[in-house]
Amino acid sequence: MTQWEAFINFLTYLGISIPILILGVVVFAVTTPYPEFQLLRDASQTDDASKVAAGKAAAYDLSGKILGLTIVLASAILSAQSLLDFIIWGVIGVIFQVLVFYLFHLITPFSVIKEIPKGNVPVAIFSSRISLISSLILAASIYY
């Protein structure tokens, strides 16, 4: 492969992975019952300690989800046999990351969905780490 072909390949995978990542963030934003982006926006426009805490919790949680999605997409790129293969595994990774979030919510003795808007930062950090842990397992599972 020439340098030019490698560059085109880079642009192609980047051009496909960014929309899949955005799709994953949108899916999380739509499927989680609390408004992450609104909590972030509210925290940036106030001195109210409870809103700032809720914004911090949302930031930890959402950034963990995005990092998790990115890890799965990176693994899909590395393991893909073709662009279609990458797209399929990327979308599967998004779906499974969302499923893991809801599974985590179901098995914890507390409600992640209620705690993050209340500004419970430790729960948000724990949730973000679950996203990262599960993404590493999902990423390792995408292997031929």
Side-chain angles (χ1 to χ4, degrees), residues 92-112:
I92 288 171
V94 168
I95 292 166
F96 273 87
Q97 281 291 96
V98 172
L99 291 174
V100 164
F101 173 78
Y102 280 99
L103 179 63
F104 170 65
H105 170 69
L106 288 173
I107 64 174
T108 57
F110 48 84
S111 174
V112 177

Side-chain angles (χ1 to χ4, degrees), residues 2-144:
T2 68
Q3 197 68 16
W4 180 248
E5 290 169 326
F7 182 69
I8 296 298
N9 193 46
F10 161 78
L11 289 178
T12 302
Y13 278 92
L14 183 65
I16 293 171
S17 61
I18 298 295
I20 293 174
L21 181 60
I22 291 169
L23 170 71
V25 173
V26 168
V27 168
F28 270 120
V30 170
T31 60
T32 52
Y34 50 91
E36 292 101 332
F37 291 105
Q38 185 63 45
L39 293 171
L40 293 170
R41 193 174 306 111
D42 291 348
S44 70
Q45 299 172 350
T46 186
D47 291 330
D48 181 342
S50 65
K51 287 186 178 184
V52 170
K56 284 181 183 179
Y60 280 115
D61 184 52
L62 185 59
S63 64
K65 291 172 183 173
I66 294 170
L67 281 169
L69 291 169
T70 303
I71 290 168
V72 172
L73 287 173
S75 177
I77 289 170
L78 291 172
S79 300
Q81 304 293 316
S82 67
L83 282 175
L84 180 59
D85 191 37
F86 163 61
I87 293 167
I88 290 168
W89 282 111
V91 171
I92 288 171
V94 168
I95 292 166
F96 273 87
Q97 281 291 96
V98 172
L99 291 174
V100 164
F101 173 78
Y102 280 99
L103 179 63
F104 170 65
H105 170 69
L106 288 173
I107 64 174
T108 57
F110 48 84
S111 174
V112 177
I113 291 169
K114 290 180 184 173
E115 293 300 317
I116 290 174
K118 290 191 322 190
N120 191 330
V121 173
V123 167
I125 291 171
F126 187 53
S127 177
S128 75
R129 297 316 190 263
I130 294 296
S131 292
L132 293 174
I133 291 164
S134 65
S135 73
L136 290 171
I137 294 168
L138 291 169
S141 301
I142 302 173
Y143 182 74
Y144 288 91

